[in-house]
Amino acid sequence: MKRSRTGVAHALTRRRARFDHAPMHGLSRFLLALAFVLAPLVGAAQAPETGKLLDESRQRIADARKQLDGGDVDDATLSQLRDQMGAVDTHANTLLGELAPKFDAIAARVDQLGPAPAKGGEARDIAAQRADLEKERGALDADIKRAKLLIVDSGQVVAQIAEARRANFQARLSQRTPSPLTPTFWRGLTANIDRDLAGARALLGGMFAGTAAAFAPANRVPTLFGIAAGVLLILLGRWWVERALMRWTADRMPHGRLRRSALAFAMVVATTVLTGLGAQVIVIAIDWHSVLGDDARAFARSIVSAVVFGSYVTGLGRALLAAARPSWRLPPISDDVAARLRHWPLLLGGAVALSVLLKHFNEIAGTSLSATIAGSLVVALVYAALLAWGLLRAARTPADATEHDERAPRPAWVGVAIALLWLGVVLAFVAALSGYVALAHQVARQMIGLGIVAATFYLVVHVVEDLFAAGLSSQANWVRRTLGLDQRVLDQVAVLSSGLFRVFALAIALFAALAPFGTEPGDLVSQLGRTAAGLKIGQIEVTPVAVFGALLVLVLGIAAIRALQRWLLDSYLPTTRLDPGMRTSVTTLLGTAGVVVVVAFALSALGLGLDRIAWVASALSVGIGFGLQAIVQNFVSGLILLVERPVKVGDWVVLGDAEGDIRRINVRATEIQMGDRSTVIVPNSELITKSVRNVTLANAEGRVRFRVPLPLDSDPARVVEIIKAAFAAHPGVLRQPPPNVLLDSIENGNLMFIVVGFIANPRQSGQVRSDLLLDILARLRAEDIALSTPYQVNLGRVGEAGAQGPLSGAE
């Protein structure tokens, strides 16, 4: 039975908005504002003419200001005005984005024509074209200015609406009604009991009549089938999905934090979706042949909304408590506390569903203000009682606990939160019994809402952080091969990404927590729409799309450069005549140049062309002049080393006290590995500006050279044969060029032989020299040829007989 709402009922509904603000109200406003944001994108091709659209938007702003200046405006009207202003702002920004490129294109065409010559000095067709362009540019400029003015005016109206909502909120909290402990409260409630019961009977009668019609013989089959399907989804479907998720996460997912957080998140989604879907299927089955009236159908939709909200709260609490699965529990809650609170999520979900359902019932049935206040009183008392019961259950000491039981120390913030919750519970009870029903309802509802928001934030943040960590860990090898990043950098990326998401999620959570105090989700959507349109910093306009495109260009460009380097180093360069050191130098130089090019392309995608960042170049020039000249000098020296290759990877160099092999040439410094396996980091400018001995530059062969002193009575020819035989017997000495033994001189009565031999690797000269000397000494001893002893001089006193002591030398 369709029922028309009277003017008195409508007025009571507007007054009742001061007491009823369930979570569904904010969600509906959020979806409506989102629809206003997306509507211009969907229907841009069918948008009205620019002038008409601007005039309509201007009229909307004028009407909104007139309503706001007229006096007291309820929250429902303020929400509608805010949505209208959001639509005006979105349309104006969209129109501005469409007109600005057109204006720039016409301005460019006018600039191509050049300045207008003297009168009569220009061809007629060009003059006509110039006039048309000037006229069109003027019209576009006017429209652009009007659009910008609309954006400013709509923002001012939104600020005025927010101020009015805050004033209404403060007035609502300070409003007092008769206390429920006094007869006045109950007399006011019974005064309208007949009309309230009539409205309730009309609504429920319509529901019962529609349900009875749904079970008529012509409608019975689809109704029974739909109800059975809905019940199966709510009961068996949810049970089966939860068991399947448990098995899948236990068997398929690797051990770690992700499997716990993913299971909790999946259980919340499954509980909410399946329960809400089952309720929706039941409603569709009953109303399959449109047997419900308008009010009954609206109330049925309200039942579905209440079920969805209640199931979400229940699923969230069950997933976080995990009373039946202690090892899968995310928050640090003891098993005893979780077991005592295992029924609390279901009770809380039922209370939330009751709040949503009661609010919509009062609106649809058109109940009186007294009944609405009574409903708010019931919701406030139920919320406060549930919180008190939960706090008592969580704080109760088990019966088998002793005073010697060791418990983990509780964080300070937990104690503060519990104290604040108790304070809120007491305040809600006192305010409700004192007649401040709106204040009690707001306090109790806000505590429940903050708990739901905090639990949602906790679960979502854990899921995303674990997903980042597990994703980068499982793909670590691929990322290292593609981007050339090590595990430490991947860990930093994971931590940074999760931190950025935590900041974003915290901002959303704070917004949701502050929504009941005068801010609506539509404001966030409008702000996001303005941000998506572009953030202008000076002459540079940065948009989220441009930022995402720049990051995409940067990541893909670096991946392409790394892949090209890997292909050159592993596939192409080995087929050339380049030595390994030159291959490394080529790939390093290519990687450096490629990164510079990719960064330039990323800046271009972001909208930061070289012509727009001249001031950055100026700042860099000043910085180079004062403190960066050494860094730039080393960078340029590194490029010279990679191009000219006076030294290359694998060379054995001597630079001052440093002597060793070059292991890596970077753009700023060169790594030299010493003989003791230590590494010396040498700035590239040192290799360019100072003298460097490159032992292996022209020839990779080494040389062994030492001197052998022998007595004068030694047979030189025999000595040469012995030494050459020792060289020939050593496998490290090269046969070409052959070793050489020269009689260099006679010093202090000794024959001085110089022995020179060549080896394949100069780094083995010390070991080869030692082996040769040991072999030569053994061969000389076998031939009874002794090495010379040092020349000694003995000094003595003159004797008493006047004879002089000996003064002789021995070799």
Side-chain angles (χ1 to χ4, degrees):
M1 180 177 63
K2 187 174 181 179
R3 188 170 48 84
S4 62
R5 180 177 297 180
T6 64
V8 176
H10 182 60
L12 290 175
T13 302
R14 294 179 61 185
R15 294 178 61 191
R16 186 169 56 247
R18 297 174 177 267
F19 291 89
D20 255 332
H21 296 277
M24 187 61 187
H25 180 71
L27 179 62
S28 62
R29 291 292 177 265
F30 180 83
L31 296 177
L32 181 60
L34 184 61
F36 273 117
V37 172
L38 298 179
L41 301 179
V42 177
Q46 301 177 356
E49 295 180 357
T50 302
K52 184 179 179 181
L53 178 61
L54 293 175
D55 293 337
E56 291 177 354
S57 300
R58 173 60 58 190
Q59 187 61 40
R60 285 187 180 182
I61 293 176
D63 294 341
R65 283 178 171 170
K66 185 177 180 180
Q67 283 185 276
L68 292 173
D69 296 338
D72 187 20
V73 185
D74 57 42
D75 287 347
T77 305
L78 290 176
S79 298
Q80 293 177 359
L81 294 178
R82 189 203 58 250
D83 296 338
Q84 293 177 4
M85 293 304 100
V88 169
D89 180 84
T90 303
H91 283 299
N93 276 290
T94 304
L95 187 62
L96 192 62
E98 295 175 355
L99 295 179
K102 298 179 180 179
F103 180 83
D104 295 338
I106 293 176
R109 293 172 62 185
V110 173
D111 293 339
Q112 289 177 356
L113 294 178
K119 186 175 182 181
E122 190 174 28
R124 181 176 300 177
D125 56 343
I126 297 179
Q129 185 179 6
R130 184 188 300 275
D132 293 340
L133 291 176
E134 290 290 350
K135 181 180 179 179
E136 189 175 358
R137 183 168 67 172
L140 287 174
D141 183 59
D143 291 340
I144 289 174
K145 291 179 180 178
R146 292 180 64 187
K148 291 181 178 179
L149 185 60
L150 285 177
I151 295 173
V152 175
D153 291 343
S154 62
Q156 293 175 353
V157 174
V158 169
Q160 190 175 355
I161 292 172
E163 185 63 29
R165 293 190 74 252
R166 283 190 290 269
N168 287 352
F169 176 76
Q170 294 174 1
R172 184 170 65 249
L173 292 183
S174 60
Q175 184 177 359
R176 185 179 182 184
T177 61
S179 172
L181 300 179
T182 62
T184 306
F185 177 84
W186 300 104
R187 281 198 299 268
L189 185 61
T190 56
N192 301 310
I193 190 66
D194 294 336
R195 190 172 61 83
D196 292 338
L197 289 178
R201 281 194 295 268
L203 177 59
L204 296 179
M207 290 288 296
F208 292 146
T211 305
F215 282 96
N219 305 331
R220 187 174 301 167
V221 174
T223 301
L224 292 176
F225 179 79
I227 292 176
V231 172
L232 288 176
L233 282 175
I234 295 175
L235 299 179
L236 296 181
R238 184 176 57 83
W239 177 85
W240 181 83
V241 169
E242 288 185 0
R243 297 303 184 275
L245 288 173
M246 184 68 186
R247 291 193 301 269
W248 187 83
T249 51
D251 299 338
R252 299 293 183 87
M253 295 190 68
H255 292 277
R257 299 184 307 173
L258 180 61
R259 62 189 308 189
R260 296 190 303 160
S261 57
L263 177 63
F265 183 79
M267 289 185 62
V268 174
V269 174
T271 302
T272 306
V273 172
L274 292 176
T275 306
L277 184 60
Q280 183 65 35
V281 169
I282 294 175
V283 170
I284 293 175
I286 295 175
D287 196 31
W288 183 260
H289 293 282
S290 300
V291 296
L292 297 177
D294 293 339
D295 291 341
R297 187 175 295 110
F299 188 64
R301 289 196 295 266
S302 301
I303 294 176
V304 175
S305 300
V307 170
V308 169
F309 277 101
S311 62
Y312 174 75
V313 174
T314 303
L316 183 63
R318 291 178 61 247
L320 293 181
L321 286 179
R325 299 177 298 274
S327 60
W328 292 77
R329 187 178 303 128
L330 280 177
I333 301 176
S334 65
D335 297 344
D336 183 66
V337 172
R340 291 199 299 268
L341 294 178
R342 63 183 180 276
H343 300 302
W344 192 74
L346 180 60
L347 297 176
L348 182 60
V352 171
L354 174 65
S355 174
V356 176
L357 192 60
L358 189 61
K359 182 249 184 185
H360 288 285
F361 179 84
N362 290 333
E363 288 183 351
I364 298 173
T367 56
S368 63
L369 181 61
S370 300
T372 303
I373 295 175
S376 299
L377 176 64
V378 171
V379 171
L381 293 177
V382 169
Y383 279 167
L386 276 176
L387 285 174
W389 182 76
L391 291 173
L392 290 175
R393 294 282 293 178
R396 192 180 68 180
T397 304
D400 56 348
T402 63
E403 59 180 3
H404 301 288
D405 289 343
E406 296 183 359
R407 296 186 178 182
R410 187 173 62 185
W413 68 268
V414 175
V416 173
I418 293 176
L420 291 177
L421 287 175
W422 274 117
L423 180 62
V425 169
V426 174
L427 178 61
F429 277 116
V430 172
L433 298 179
S434 300
Y436 293 96
V437 178
L439 176 62
H441 181 267
Q442 181 65 32
V443 171
R445 176 176 169 269
Q446 189 64 20
M447 288 190 295
I448 296 296
L450 286 176
I452 296 173
V453 170
T456 304
F457 170 77
Y458 180 86
L459 178 59
V460 172
V461 167
H462 272 72
V463 170
V464 174
E465 287 185 350
D466 297 344
L467 190 61
F468 274 124
L472 290 178
S473 176
S474 61
Q475 300 295 330
N477 294 330
W478 179 84
V479 174
R480 280 198 297 267
R481 292 194 306 268
T482 304
L483 300 180
L485 303 178
D486 56 13
Q487 186 62 43
R488 178 178 54 82
V489 177
L490 294 179
D491 295 338
Q492 293 175 358
V493 171
V495 173
L496 181 61
S497 302
S498 61
L500 292 177
F501 177 80
R502 177 171 292 195
V503 171
F504 175 76
L506 181 60
I508 299 297
L510 290 177
F511 179 84
L514 296 177
F517 296 100
T519 305
E520 287 287 339
D523 300 333
L524 176 63
V525 176
S526 301
Q527 182 63 34
L528 291 177
R530 288 191 291 268
T531 304
L535 178 63
K536 197 168 185 179
I537 305 176
Q539 298 297 325
I540 302 173
E541 185 174 2
V542 181
T543 63
V545 176
V547 173
F548 178 77
L551 292 176
L552 187 62
V553 169
L554 185 63
V555 172
L556 294 180
I558 293 179
I561 292 298
R562 300 302 185 195
L564 180 59
Q565 284 183 296
R566 188 169 60 252
W567 176 76
L568 287 175
L569 194 60
D570 299 338
S571 300
Y572 176 71
L573 291 181
T575 62
T576 64
R577 296 182 179 180
L578 298 178
D579 57 86
M582 186 59 183
R583 300 173 196 169
T584 304
S585 301
V586 169
T587 53
T588 304
L589 181 60
L590 177 63
T592 304
V595 169
V596 173
V597 173
V598 168
V599 170
F601 275 110
L603 292 177
S604 178
L606 189 60
L608 301 176
L610 296 179
D611 54 338
R612 294 189 177 185
I613 56 174
W615 57 274
V616 178
S618 301
L620 288 176
S621 300
V622 175
I624 291 172
F626 282 98
L628 300 179
Q629 64 269 25
I631 296 177
V632 175
Q633 181 182 11
N634 290 324
F635 176 78
V636 175
S637 299
L639 296 180
I640 294 174
L641 290 176
L642 293 176
V643 174
E644 294 188 356
R645 302 180 67 242
V647 294
K648 60 183 182 297
V649 175
D651 284 353
W652 183 21
V653 297
V654 179
L655 177 63
D657 297 334
E659 179 178 358
D661 297 321
I662 294 180
R663 291 303 182 192
R664 182 177 300 174
I665 300 178
N666 299 316
V667 294
R668 190 196 65 84
T670 298
E671 300 178 7
I672 300 177
Q673 183 175 347
M674 306 289 286
D676 58 357
R677 299 300 178 182
S678 62
T679 301
V680 178
I681 309 298
V682 180
N684 289 332
S685 58
E686 297 286 325
L687 299 173
I688 297 297
T689 60
K690 292 186 177 181
S691 299
V692 180
R693 179 188 174 196
N694 192 337
V695 180
T696 58
L697 176 62
N699 194 339
E701 298 175 355
R703 186 181 70 168
V704 177
R705 182 180 183 278
F706 52 87
R707 302 176 70 187
V708 179
L710 293 173
L712 284 175
D713 57 353
S714 301
D715 184 1
R718 182 57 182 162
V719 170
V720 170
E721 292 177 359
I722 292 174
I723 294 176
K724 286 185 176 182
F727 271 79
H730 197 286
V733 179
L734 298 178
R735 301 297 179 263
Q736 293 294 332
N740 194 8
V741 182
L742 300 175
L743 179 58
D744 182 59
S745 63
I746 299 176
E747 297 179 2
N748 298 325
N750 296 323
L751 299 177
M752 302 301 300
F753 291 88
I754 296 179
V755 182
V756 179
F758 296 91
I759 57 177
N761 191 347
R763 299 166 184 81
Q764 301 175 356
S765 60
Q767 183 64 41
V768 174
R769 181 187 297 111
S770 175
D771 296 341
L772 289 174
L773 286 174
L774 292 175
D775 190 17
I776 290 173
L777 289 176
R779 291 174 181 269
L780 290 176
R781 288 193 181 96
E783 295 289 338
D784 293 332
I785 300 177
L787 294 178
S788 297
T789 57
Y791 185 81
Q792 297 179 354
V793 177
N794 297 326
L795 300 177
R797 294 182 180 180
V798 177
E800 295 180 356
Q804 189 176 359
L807 181 60
S808 61
E811 295 183 0

